[in-house]
């Protein structure tokens, strides 16, 4: 009868094989992140690094001249002011309308609620040039609603192609996004809370001020920041509506990188960096407010 003896090398190889398989199982999920990481680098990090480095290039040399030129230009400061004005007020009105709409949706039939959410999903993708064209048909100089309201003297001097017309179109595309972001947050509210508050003598307004809004404040603040970023970055709608004649910062950046006579990509990069810094500052303030809100609820 022959007996087999395991050598030390065979023992090591057999013990190393399960370790190798275990290591491969652990690293396999990370391999799926490689395409995403590559995509994120090529279309997010690389352009950001290029914009940041080239913002300091002026006549082929390292300089802060691009930033000085932006900050000293009244025209550029007006563009920043117009963009911030449109972003802030469209976010305020869009968030207010969306909050009222989502709050009402919780009280209606599920079929109606599903229909409204489906319509909101569809309208959230209706933006850019088609949205501008729709507003021109409806509220333009010879738009259907414009002529009807002017006939009864209800419209006054409303100009779709000016500040208030742009605010209207900004509010329109802010509402669907705010609804989709806020809808899941309202699930945190329990109907029993309002009933309990009512039994304790609280009115509906007191319930919202003392109970509902503090619970919803992190979602409201987060949505508000996203709406501001969404509005600041809007380009196609405002350009299609005004043909680039209204001074907002996205139109200024586009004119500097696509113009035939005034092609200044480094100056556009400096404007983009300032815009990114503004959004980063707003986001930091938002995160601080959200952390304070969560701390106050504990």
């Amino acid at each position: 009868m022959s007996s087999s003896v395991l050598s030390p090398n065979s023992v090591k190889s057999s013990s190393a094989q399960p370790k190798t398989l275990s290591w491969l199982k652990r690293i396999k999920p990370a391999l799926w992140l490689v395409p995403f990481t590559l995509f994120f680098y090529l279309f997010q990090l690389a352009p950001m690094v290029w914009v940041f480095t080239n913002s300091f290039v002026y006549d082929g040399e390292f300089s802060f001249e691009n930033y000085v030129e932006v900050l000293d230009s009244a025209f550029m400061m007006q563009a920043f002011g117009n963009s911030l004005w449109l972003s802030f007020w469209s976010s305020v009105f869009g968030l207010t309308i969306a909050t009222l709409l989502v709050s009402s949706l919780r009280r209606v039939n599920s079929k109606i609620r599903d229909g409204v959410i489906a319509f909101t999903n569809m309208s959230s993708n209706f933006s850019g040039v088609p949205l501008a064209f729709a507003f021109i048909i409806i509220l333009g100089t010879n738009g259907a609603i414009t002529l009807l309201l002017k006939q009864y003297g209800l419209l006054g001097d409303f100009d779709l192609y000016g500040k208030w017309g742009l605010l209207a179109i900004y509010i329109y595309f802010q509402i669907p996004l705010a609804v989709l972001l806020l809808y899941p947050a309202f699930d945190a509210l329990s109907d029993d809370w309002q009933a309990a508050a009512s039994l304790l003598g609280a009115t509906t307004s007191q319930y919202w001020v003392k109970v509902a809004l503090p619970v919803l404040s992190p979602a409201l603040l987060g949505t508000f920041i996203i709406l501001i970023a969404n509005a600041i970055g809007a380009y196609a709608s405002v350009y299609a509506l005004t043909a680039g004649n209204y001074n907002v910062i996205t139109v200024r950046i586009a004119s500097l990188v696509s113009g035939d006579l005034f092609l200044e990509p480094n100056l556009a990069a400096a404007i983009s960096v300032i815009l990114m810094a503004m959004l980063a500052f707003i986001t930091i303030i938002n995160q601080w407010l959200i952390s304070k809100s969560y701390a106050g609820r504990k």
Side-chain angles (χ1 to χ4, degrees):
M1 182 181 293
S2 64
S3 60
S4 61
V5 179
L6 294 175
S7 65
N9 291 333
S10 62
V11 173
K12 288 181 181 179
S13 62
S14 61
S15 62
Q17 187 174 2
K19 291 182 179 179
T20 304
L21 292 175
S22 177
W23 180 79
L24 288 174
K25 287 181 179 179
R26 286 199 301 268
I27 201 175
K28 188 176 180 180
L31 294 177
W32 292 103
L33 293 176
V34 173
F36 171 77
T37 304
L38 182 63
F39 182 86
F40 182 76
Y41 171 77
L42 291 176
F43 295 97
Q44 187 73 30
L45 292 181
M48 191 179 299
V49 171
W50 185 94
V51 167
F52 183 77
T53 39
N54 281 271
S55 67
F56 295 100
V57 177
Y58 186 82
D59 287 341
E61 298 179 355
F62 179 86
S63 173
F64 290 94
E65 188 63 31
N66 290 320
Y67 292 95
V68 173
E69 185 175 343
V70 172
L71 298 176
D72 285 346
S73 172
F75 189 60
M76 291 297 179
M77 290 298 101
Q78 183 192 50
F80 276 106
N82 289 340
S83 292
L84 289 174
W85 187 87
L86 287 169
S87 302
F88 178 80
W89 288 111
S90 66
S91 300
V92 169
F93 286 113
L95 184 63
T96 302
I97 296 171
T99 302
L100 295 174
L101 177 60
V102 175
S103 176
S104 302
L105 284 176
R106 300 181 73 246
R107 307 295 179 186
V108 299
N109 184 277
S110 60
K111 291 184 178 180
I112 298 176
R113 183 166 60 248
D114 293 342
V116 172
I117 294 299
F119 175 78
T120 304
N121 275 311
M122 180 188 68
S123 58
S124 65
N125 295 309
F126 185 64
S127 58
V129 177
L131 178 61
F133 181 65
F135 265 75
I136 291 172
I137 294 175
I138 296 172
L139 288 172
T141 305
N142 295 311
I145 296 179
T146 302
L147 296 177
L148 181 64
L149 293 178
K150 282 185 176 180
Q151 183 178 353
Y152 294 99
L154 298 176
L155 194 59
D157 297 328
F158 176 79
D159 181 17
L160 177 65
Y161 310 102
K163 177 171 69 174
W164 298 105
L166 284 173
L167 181 61
I169 198 171
Y170 271 59
I171 292 173
Y172 178 86
F173 69 68
Q174 294 280 55
I175 293 173
L177 177 60
V179 169
L180 294 177
L181 292 173
L182 287 178
Y183 184 74
F186 271 75
D187 290 336
L189 296 180
S190 174
D191 294 334
D192 296 336
W193 294 354
Q194 188 168 3
S198 179
L199 289 174
L200 293 172
T203 62
T204 303
S205 58
Q206 288 175 327
Y207 161 75
W208 277 100
V209 172
K210 299 287 186 180
V211 180
L213 288 180
V215 172
L216 294 172
S217 57
L220 292 173
L221 289 171
T223 302
F224 183 69
I225 296 302
I226 293 174
L227 293 181
I228 287 180
N230 182 53
I232 287 181
Y235 169 72
S237 296
V238 62
Y239 186 84
L241 194 65
T242 65
N245 294 321
Y246 192 80
N247 192 20
V248 292
I249 200 62
T250 49
V251 172
R252 296 281 67 79
I253 293 173
S255 66
L256 291 171
V257 297
S258 61
D260 295 330
L261 299 176
F262 304 102
L263 186 63
E264 298 183 70
N266 295 331
L267 184 61
I271 299 172
S272 301
V273 170
I274 295 173
L275 190 60
M276 286 190 292
M278 290 169 50
L279 291 174
F281 175 75
I282 294 172
T283 304
I284 291 171
I285 297 297
N286 170 67
Q287 292 299 319
W288 180 77
L289 291 173
I290 289 177
S291 64
K292 296 288 286 184
S293 174
Y294 278 123
R297 289 163 52 186
K298 290 182 180 179

